[in-house]
Amino acid sequence: MSNEKYVIRAGETTHDEYNLDVTPEKAGWEWSSLRVVGLTAGASVEIPGGEAEYLVLPLEGGCVVEAEGKKYEVAGRESVFTDITDYVYIPRNTDVRLSSPAGGRFSLPGAKATKDLPLRYCPRNEVQVGLRGAGPASRQVNNYALGNDLETSHLLATEVLTPGGNWSSYPPHKHDEHNDVERVLEEIYYYEVRRGDNETEGFALQRIYPSPGHDIDVCTEVRDGDVVVMPYGYHGPSVAAPGYDLYYLNVMAGPAEDSVWLMTDDPHHTWVRQTWETQEVDPRLPMTKTS
């Protein structure tokens, strides 16, 4: 299996209203998926229900979500680099009409579901925002379906903001075994890179390398709109180039029924966590409004 299979470039899966459409089949696995819908002002799209549960999570702009005879107005945000957002949880087998009066882009992080849960609007004050790491490993983590009040069947979703020049997803970690301290989780990274001075396009670097019993070797440049799928292996770091802030949306799901995120550090590098005790968190954080 070629390691290029794990890298999906911006535009590669574009069709109809979808800027991005990473199905489980495209990723080569069973559980995790991600779509990004792009709507012009006043446009709408019908999204038929299926076996996946998902979030309607705005990346840019606001939207209206209509399903099960209910209508939710989602305020959204100007940009992933300026704010967190409210959002809607969509259970499996639920038809949705998504519209946007002013236009925008809306991510649909999803997972195959094995139980039925209620449709739910989630206000922005339910988003769990935290700062992780210290020094050049400082980053901001926004949890939308991980460690907060939202119940899902298998879906975990979070986003990470990394100031330019910092290392994120570090120390490298894995979640490809089921045991007391780890869960099997297929993971998608979707990247956006904040433009620099004079609107110059930036980039970041992503690394994945073998874990016990899993052969994978990815070291790639990623740019705005790119995706890397991670079925197994140690992943990290995600390195934001100096001058270019990095955003990535993590979508995770696996066969365990407890919907928890448990991972294991690469034992060669876990000592780095101890150094954070004597370092300050990067003063550029938090990068967005948090309340």
Side-chain angles (χ1 to χ4, degrees):
M1 183 184 297
S2 170
N3 283 310
E4 285 76 19
K5 169 184 172 22
Y6 305 113
V7 183
I8 301 170
R9 298 300 180 190
E12 186 177 323
T13 61
T14 298
H15 67 90
D16 304 313
E17 292 88 1
Y18 293 90
N19 298 342
L20 175 74
D21 190 0
V22 179
T23 63
E25 293 75 20
K26 174 65 176 176
W29 56 34
E30 183 179 359
W31 294 93
S32 299
S33 62
L34 177 63
R35 294 168 287 176
V36 175
V37 172
L39 295 177
T40 57
S44 64
V45 61
E46 304 289 334
I47 306 172
E51 66 175 358
E53 59 180 347
Y54 62 92
L55 307 180
V56 176
L57 180 65
L59 300 172
E60 177 184 352
C63 62
V64 177
V65 176
E66 297 174 75
E68 297 182 350
K70 302 172 185 176
K71 183 176 181 179
Y72 300 104
E73 295 189 7
V74 180
R77 53 187 166 183
E78 179 184 354
S79 160
V80 297
F81 294 105
T82 62
D83 208 346
I84 57 174
T85 183
D86 53 345
Y87 57 110
V88 178
Y89 169 79
I90 308 296
R92 65 178 179 176
N93 300 320
T94 303
D95 296 335
V96 171
R97 183 176 187 271
L98 179 64
S99 58
S100 180
R105 295 181 301 110
F106 310 96
S107 68
L108 311 178
K112 185 174 78 169
T114 56
K115 62 182 177 181
D116 297 310
L117 294 167
L119 179 74
R120 187 173 184 274
Y121 170 79
C122 304
R124 65 194 304 283
N125 62 13
E126 291 188 4
V127 181
Q128 297 294 312
V129 178
L131 303 183
R132 186 176 298 167
S138 302
R139 61 270 198 186
Q140 175 182 338
V141 179
N142 305 327
N143 289 334
Y144 291 90
L146 196 164
N148 62 354
D149 291 337
L150 175 63
E151 180 185 2
T152 65
S153 177
H154 289 265
L155 174 64
L156 302 174
T158 186
E159 57 188 17
V160 181
L161 291 157
T162 309
N166 283 9
W167 286 38
S168 195
S169 192
Y170 192 78
H173 62 279
K174 72 180 183 77
H175 32 74
D176 53 26
E177 296 181 80
H178 184 97
N179 54 45
D180 290 344
V181 295
E182 193 174 329
R183 292 292 184 272
V184 175
L185 293 167
E186 306 162 348
E187 186 162 21
I188 299 170
Y189 275 39
Y190 164 78
Y191 308 89
E192 296 199 0
V193 182
R194 194 177 212 165
R195 289 186 173 267
D197 289 348
N198 302 316
E199 288 297 297
T200 51
E201 182 184 7
F203 67 98
L205 302 175
Q206 180 65 57
R207 180 77 171 113
I208 317 171
Y209 59 92
S211 59
H214 297 290
D215 186 20
I216 189 170
D217 188 1
V218 177
C219 187
T220 187
E221 176 184 292
V222 292
R223 293 180 178 268
D224 202 61
D226 287 348
V227 163
V228 174
V229 296
M230 304 178 184
Y232 39 68
Y234 287 112
H235 39 284
S238 303
V239 183
Y244 299 99
D245 298 332
L246 175 65
Y247 164 95
Y248 53 90
L249 174 62
N250 291 152
V251 186
M252 294 174 280
E257 295 288 342
D258 53 8
S259 297
V260 297
W261 181 67
L262 292 176
M263 61 81 189
T264 302
D265 283 342
D266 182 340
H268 290 92
H269 304 298
T270 194
W271 67 269
V272 172
R273 293 184 182 273
Q274 300 171 14
T275 68
W276 297 345
E277 298 174 5
T278 58
Q279 298 182 69
E280 298 294 329
V281 173
D282 191 314
R284 292 175 290 178
L285 294 170
M287 289 175 60
T288 70
K289 300 175 185 176
T290 56
S291 61

